[in-house]
């Protein structure tokens, strides 16, 4: 068996450390919830091409917060003045201060909200030429990617209704896309790892089976966690479980030719690579509407 050159070993270790460091710095690029809202006024699209919307959350009345909009515009002052008491829950609906500033990207009768969104919210909307602000009813998100319809009335009413499709709620499309992406990335990276370290090629069967077993489960667990407010913990535990399962399969299928320590190191490396490369691609596909 040909000996690995010292510089290749050094380069490989450096790459592992770089990827691990990048995974910590770029952990923010993982899957995140989104809310898409179609807005109409008296049953017709808005005449204003650009409008402004903010999510309101219900907080304790005496909680001091630095209220900030998600956009720089004089219209922000209208949102800062909002304070809508909710006596039944002893809280007040208003803007949430930094670091969670939930302003939507709104134009052409469509609004999109992303990042770590609140589980329960009301929507405040300012349409140029229409005063005062429209304030919707409260709603609770139950899906990773939610779709709503906001019906504004000339009388100042605002009715927010969820119409997330069953396919989108089940996340089947996203799970399939995530599985295919993960397989392509991890098998390619796994093949490079096997060639570089002269590991047995049976390790690739462990990578294949590990992804087939863990990616669908991970995807559905993480998606379901949004309805329970446990996204970060579920994501961390699911990723750890995927590394353990895949590492165990690699070690088992190589029939002792690959030490457990190396098998789990390989699994960790491949999952880090998959996370860093796959998440941005999947997010782009979701944003373009190619994945539900």
């Amino acid at each position: 068996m040909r000996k690995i050159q010292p510089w290749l070993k050094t380069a490989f270790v450096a790459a592992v450390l770089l990827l691990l460091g990048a995974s910590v710095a770029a952990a923010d690029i993982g899957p995140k919830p989104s809310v898409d809202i179609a807005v109409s006024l008296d049953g017709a699209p808005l005449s204003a091409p650009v409008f402004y919307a903010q999510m309101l959350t219900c907080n304790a009345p005496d909680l001091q917060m630095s209220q900030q909009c998600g956009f720089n515009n004089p219209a922000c002052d209208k949102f800062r003045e909002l304070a809508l008491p909710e006596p039944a829950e002893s809280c007040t609906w208003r803007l949430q201060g930094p670091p969670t500033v939930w302003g939507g990207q709104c134009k052409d009768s469509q609004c999109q909200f992303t990042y770590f969104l609140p589980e329960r919210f009301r929507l405040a909307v300012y349409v140029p030429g229409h005063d005062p602000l429209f304030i919707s009813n409260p709603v609770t998100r139950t899906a990773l990617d939610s779709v709503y319809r906001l019906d504004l009335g000339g009388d100042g009413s605002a009715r927010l209704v969820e119409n997330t499709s069953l396919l989108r709620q089940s996340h089947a499309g996203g799970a399939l896309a995530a599985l295919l992406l993960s397989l392509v990335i991890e098998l390619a990276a796994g093949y490079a790892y096997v060639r570089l370290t002269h590991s047995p090629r049976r390790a690739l069967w462990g990578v294949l089976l590990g992804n087939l077993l863990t990616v669908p489960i991970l995807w559905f667990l993480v998606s379901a966690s949004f309805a329970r407010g446990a996204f970060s913990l579920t994501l961390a535990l699911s990723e750890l479980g995927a590394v353990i399962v895949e590492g165990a399969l690699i070690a088992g299928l190589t029939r002792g030719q690959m030490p457990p320590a190396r098998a789990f190191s390989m699994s960790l490396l491949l999952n880090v690579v998959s996370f860093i490369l796959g998440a941005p691609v999947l997010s782009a596909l979701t944003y373009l509407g190619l994945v539900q």
Side-chain angles (χ1 to χ4, degrees):
M1 185 176 291
R2 209 164 104 192
K3 185 178 179 182
I4 302 176
Q5 295 295 323
W7 69 269
L8 282 177
K9 290 183 179 179
T10 303
F12 180 75
V13 172
V16 171
L17 293 176
L18 179 63
L19 286 172
L20 290 175
S23 69
V24 175
D28 196 295
I29 64 177
K32 297 180 180 64
S34 68
V35 169
D36 296 310
I37 302 175
V39 185
S40 65
L41 178 61
D42 288 330
L46 299 182
S47 57
V50 178
F51 58 106
Y52 306 93
Q54 287 279 159
M55 285 183 173
L56 308 179
T57 54
C58 210
N59 300 283
D62 57 349
L63 181 63
Q64 298 297 319
M65 295 184 299
S66 175
Q67 295 178 319
Q68 181 177 325
C69 294
F71 51 84
N72 294 318
N73 189 285
C76 184
D77 291 336
K78 297 177 179 291
F79 293 97
R80 287 196 186 101
E81 297 170 358
L82 288 174
L84 309 173
E86 185 77 50
E89 299 184 21
S90 300
C91 63
T92 300
W93 292 95
R94 53 182 172 172
L95 290 184
Q96 173 75 52
T100 48
V101 181
W102 294 302
Q105 302 296 318
C106 304
K107 64 178 181 178
D108 300 327
S109 298
Q110 297 287 331
C111 269
Q112 183 181 61
F113 296 81
T114 56
Y115 211 65
F116 292 101
L117 303 176
E119 181 181 351
R120 189 165 181 265
F121 66 93
R122 297 177 75 171
L123 203 64
V125 179
Y126 171 63
V127 180
H130 294 269
D131 286 314
L133 296 177
F134 293 95
I135 309 295
S136 79
N137 51 292
V139 293
T140 301
R141 293 190 305 111
T142 59
L144 175 64
D145 300 307
S146 303
V147 179
Y148 291 87
R149 185 185 76 247
L150 179 64
D151 301 318
L152 305 178
D155 57 356
S157 62
R159 184 167 178 262
L160 190 59
V161 180
E162 182 172 11
N163 56 1
T164 308
S165 67
L166 180 61
L167 177 61
R168 193 158 185 167
Q169 288 180 12
S170 68
H171 311 293
L176 179 59
L179 175 60
L180 293 176
L181 274 174
S182 184
L183 283 173
V184 170
I185 293 171
E186 289 202 26
L187 286 174
Y191 180 75
Y193 180 98
V194 165
R195 289 292 302 271
L196 182 61
T197 62
H198 301 292
S199 299
R201 292 193 178 186
R202 289 195 190 94
L204 297 178
W205 285 106
V207 176
L208 175 63
L209 293 177
N211 276 274
L212 291 175
L213 287 173
T214 63
V215 172
I217 296 174
L218 183 150
W219 187 264
F220 285 108
L221 285 176
V222 171
S223 300
S225 70
F226 282 100
R228 298 172 175 81
F231 168 71
S232 299
L233 178 60
T234 304
L235 177 61
L237 293 177
S238 298
E239 290 285 1
L240 177 60
V243 171
I244 293 173
V245 170
E246 189 172 319
L249 286 169
I250 292 172
L253 291 173
T254 53
R255 302 173 185 175
Q257 293 181 332
M258 196 168 187
R262 180 182 292 183
F264 285 106
S265 297
M266 178 180 179
S267 175
L268 176 61
L269 175 62
L270 298 187
N271 277 275
V272 168
V273 172
S274 178
F275 184 83
I276 292 177
L277 298 182
V281 175
L282 191 59
S283 297
L285 293 176
T286 303
Y287 179 77
L288 294 173
L290 300 178
V291 172
Q292 297 294 331

